[in-house]
Amino acid sequence: MAEIKSMAGVTQAIAASALRAQQARMRVIAENLANANSTSSTQGGDPYRRQAPVFQPTAVAGGGTGVRVARVQADQTAFKTDYEPGNPSADAQGYVKMPNVDPLVEALDMREAQRAYEANLNVIETARVMESRTLDLLKK
């Protein structure tokens, strides 16, 4: 009996770690979207650079392996440039470096993170229901 309860606890701990990781991923995506048009504050400087979370396996209570965000790293893809000679961020030729954030990619990434979050919520709910039904059967 204790084994069944322990497995449900491990399952919930794994799903909870994934919830935290997806939540952190959504925060990074929101930051990217908020800065999609942030140019440099200095003439000819670099604008906001897209950030991406890096996931890493991690041990959870009870002996399972969950996931966590190990770090957030900058996306090294090149900046695109727009010709805006009147912009204070423009270089000597009049070009302004724009952030390497693609709002469409960020929206799709957000949708994927949302679905992963929902899937892990369903795992927790299913584990909870299974545990409850097992206890009900044992009471009879």
Side-chain angles (χ1 to χ4, degrees):
M1 284 193 296
E3 211 37 54
I4 292 170
K5 189 173 184 179
S6 174
M7 289 301 294
V10 171
T11 301
Q12 290 176 350
I14 292 169
S17 73
L19 286 177
R20 285 189 291 276
Q22 293 302 327
Q23 190 176 33
R25 178 182 177 191
M26 287 189 265
R27 183 189 51 77
V28 170
I29 294 167
E31 185 178 307
N32 287 338
L33 286 170
N35 288 296
N37 294 316
S38 297
T39 58
S40 172
S41 59
T42 60
Q43 184 178 5
D46 286 343
Y48 175 81
R49 188 172 287 279
R50 180 180 184 265
Q51 304 293 307
V54 177
F55 295 107
Q56 180 180 43
T58 186
V60 296
T65 302
V67 66
R68 70 180 184 94
V69 174
R71 66 182 184 281
V72 177
Q73 69 182 29
D75 183 347
Q76 297 300 317
T77 57
F79 299 117
K80 67 177 185 175
T81 56
D82 287 346
Y83 185 68
E84 295 179 26
N87 191 317
S89 301
D91 60 13
Q93 289 80 34
Y95 288 97
V96 177
K97 291 181 186 175
M98 301 302 289
N100 58 354
V101 176
D102 183 347
L104 180 61
V105 170
E106 299 301 324
L108 292 173
D109 202 23
M110 179 68 89
R111 185 69 178 157
E112 183 181 303
Q114 179 186 6
R115 289 186 184 230
Y117 190 90
E118 290 170 356
N120 283 293
L121 278 177
N122 286 334
V123 167
I124 290 172
E125 182 61 28
T126 301
R128 187 176 297 151
V129 168
M130 288 175 61
E131 188 177 51
S132 176
R133 286 187 180 163
T134 301
L135 290 174
D136 288 344
L137 287 173
L138 293 174
K139 288 180 184 174
K140 294 181 181 178

